[in-house]
Amino acid sequence: IKLDISMRLDIYQHVAKDIDAIEDIVSGNKKKPVSGKEGSMLNVFVEEAYAEDSFGPEVEKAAYNRRDRKGELDSLEAKGLIGENRSGLVEARGDGVDNALINAENSDRMVIYNALAAKNGISVGEVQKIYAKKLQDGANPGTSVEALDESTGQYEWKVK
């Protein structure tokens, strides 16, 4: 049993690290490799470190797509028109929301979730739970989030 628990924690830590790297792209905080002399050991080490964190072109494209629409989504969240649901997806919470925007965001999120699940050998549902928590914890005050009410055991929408 101890082995299973530590393996589970290790998987969670790898997924959390991947999520942080992707969210750095989405938020515009993606770190660029330090440029050094060609052939230097520092340059080789940095290039290898970034190559290991690469998620592939589909995931990077999805992350940059999310980055491009982040401002519009943040504005809709602030107005209470959309929220973060328990599956790590955007959900309409009011009228007048562009469903194409929500569908595009959720489509890109699913590309990311599927890739992280495959990379880490866990289910897409597990990735969605971990990612949803990260997105809800990082959401701006006033954002609607679908969270577990521990007293009732039911998921309910609340304003952060």
Side-chain angles (χ1 to χ4, degrees), residues 4-76:
D4 289 341
I5 292 171
S6 44
M7 284 176 52
R8 198 79 171 140
L9 180 60
D10 189 46
I11 289 170
Y12 177 83
Q13 289 172 338
H14 285 287
V15 173
K17 180 183 171 207
D18 290 343
I19 290 170
D20 288 343
I22 291 168
E23 287 303 303
D24 280 346
I25 293 171
V26 174
S27 67
N29 294 329
K30 181 180 178 185
K31 299 173 185 168
K32 300 284 184 190
V34 177
S35 59
K37 295 179 184 176
E38 286 294 295
S40 75
M41 288 306 289
L42 175 63
N43 194 35
V44 169
F45 173 77
V46 169
E47 285 178 3
E48 286 178 15
Y50 280 91
E52 289 175 7
D53 285 340
S54 179
F55 297 103
E58 295 88 15
V59 173
E60 287 185 19
K61 182 175 188 269
Y64 282 110
N65 288 343
R66 290 188 56 218
R67 180 180 180 175
D68 291 343
R69 71 176 76 87
K70 184 173 178 9
E72 190 173 355
L73 291 171
D74 285 349
S75 174
L76 292 171

Side-chain angles (χ1 to χ4, degrees), residues 112-124 127:
I112 293 167
Y113 299 161
N114 283 309
L116 290 181
K119 179 182 178 196
N120 290 288
I122 61 174
S123 73
V124 174
V127 171

Side-chain angles (χ1 to χ4, degrees), residues 69-122:
R69 71 176 76 87
K70 184 173 178 9
E72 190 173 355
L73 291 171
D74 285 349
S75 174
L76 292 171
E77 281 181 350
K79 294 174 186 172
L81 297 175
I82 63 171
E84 295 286 343
N85 73 19
R86 66 182 175 198
S87 298
L89 300 173
V90 175
E91 192 170 316
R93 301 290 302 147
D95 295 331
V97 180
D98 180 6
N99 284 330
L101 178 71
I102 291 174
N103 292 339
E105 178 68 12
N106 288 339
S107 177
D108 284 333
R109 288 185 183 195
M110 289 307 299
V111 166
I112 293 167
Y113 299 161
N114 283 309
L116 290 181
K119 179 182 178 196
N120 290 288
I122 61 174

